[in-house]
Amino acid sequence: ISIKWLLPTNFSIKLNINGAFKGKYKKGGIGGIFRNSGGHWILGYYKSAIAYTPAYMELLALKTGLAFDKKNFNLEIEMDTTDIFCLLDNDTCSIYSNLVTECRSLLKKLQNPPIRHNFREGNKVAHFLATQGSKQSSSSPLSLLEQPPNALLKAIHEDRIGYTKSRTVSTTIFAKLVELGNRFVTCTTNIDNMVAVPMNEPNGTLTLCNSTT
């Protein structure tokens, strides 16, 4: 299937977030980027952090992005992990409980903006920023970028023009991706017995079809 970063709807701002995890060193980084409906850079951020788990880093990246003053604009959120959706919906998140509670509170203040899943290929800018964060000293403050660094100019341009990349996706994860709002997957029949059929559509949409056909 063809994957790309999708522009936010008119008059909305999209926040893409990512967390980098280096378990061997218990170190990681968080990153995020705000872009407008034209795909133009508004603000980027990254920071180093102690890494407990990959999910912890993603939650921390989300919390950091939500904490910015949004000046009452419409926000859309996108990430390439599926674990966070489950954690935000689950009241018994054990080691993540405090961080999850903070994220829920910030989301509520923002009138619960939509959170959607995209693939890594559609989240490459946030991934780059999180990786940069992981390279910083643990004592480094949060880095704010009002302009994209030169290393990201090509990726930003590719996202704006709808540049696509291809990947293979297992049918076993399709039902979950439908529930998480992934726009490259469309559920049309019962999800218990399906195969994927690539559609020749400009947005790379997949339609799930009954496997008996």
Side-chain angles (χ1 to χ4, degrees):
I1 61 173
S2 296
I3 308 298
K4 65 180 180 180
W5 181 78
L6 298 170
L7 292 169
T9 56
N10 289 338
F11 310 111
S12 292
I13 300 296
K14 177 174 280 190
L15 167 63
N16 282 81
I17 63 104
N18 194 250
F21 176 70
K22 297 181 178 180
K24 180 179 179 181
Y25 306 101
K26 294 185 178 180
K27 184 181 179 182
I30 61 170
I33 173 179
F34 293 92
R35 282 179 279 190
N36 62 21
S37 57
H40 297 286
W41 182 287
I42 296 176
L43 182 69
Y45 63 89
Y46 62 83
K47 187 181 186 302
S48 176
I50 297 175
Y52 296 104
T53 67
Y56 182 89
M57 301 309 296
E58 298 281 352
L59 282 169
L60 189 57
L62 175 61
K63 173 195 167 185
T64 302
L66 294 175
F68 287 100
D69 182 6
K70 309 303 184 306
K71 301 185 184 302
N72 298 318
F73 58 65
N74 295 324
L75 183 68
E76 300 176 14
I77 304 167
E78 199 168 73
M79 61 187 72
D80 60 27
T81 179
T82 59
D83 295 337
I84 304 307
F85 296 87
C86 300
L87 290 171
L88 291 174
D89 289 336
N90 187 350
D91 290 329
T92 57
C93 298
S94 61
I95 64 172
Y96 307 109
S97 58
N98 290 338
L99 196 49
V100 167
T101 298
E102 291 181 87
C103 287
R104 287 174 181 163
S105 176
L106 290 168
L107 287 166
K108 186 176 181 180
K109 289 180 180 179
L110 294 169
Q111 301 181 342
N112 293 313
I115 306 177
R116 299 187 179 94
H117 174 270
N118 199 342
F119 297 100
R120 172 61 60 81
E121 292 86 346
N123 200 41
K124 57 182 179 289
V125 175
H127 175 69
F128 176 92
L129 292 172
T131 301
Q132 289 299 110
S134 70
K135 297 176 181 178
Q136 306 301 305
S137 166
S138 57
S139 60
S140 297
L142 180 69
S143 295
L144 300 179
L145 305 175
E146 296 184 353
Q147 297 292 332
N150 290 336
L152 277 177
L153 292 178
K154 180 181 178 181
I156 292 291
H157 175 70
E158 289 177 347
D159 283 351
R160 286 186 58 209
I161 65 175
Y163 179 79
T164 61
K165 288 191 175 182
S166 298
R167 70 175 295 169
T168 300
V169 179
S170 169
T171 58
T172 59
I173 68 171
F174 274 18
K176 189 172 184 179
L177 294 181
V178 169
E179 295 174 0
L180 300 183
N182 187 298
R183 297 183 183 183
F184 298 99
V185 178
T186 302
C187 182
T188 59
T189 60
N190 187 294
I191 63 176
D192 294 328
N193 191 24
M194 294 182 174
V195 295
V197 178
M199 304 296 289
N200 293 321
E201 298 181 13
N203 65 352
T205 299
L206 279 182
T207 299
L208 295 183
C209 301
N210 191 295
S211 62
T212 58
T213 60

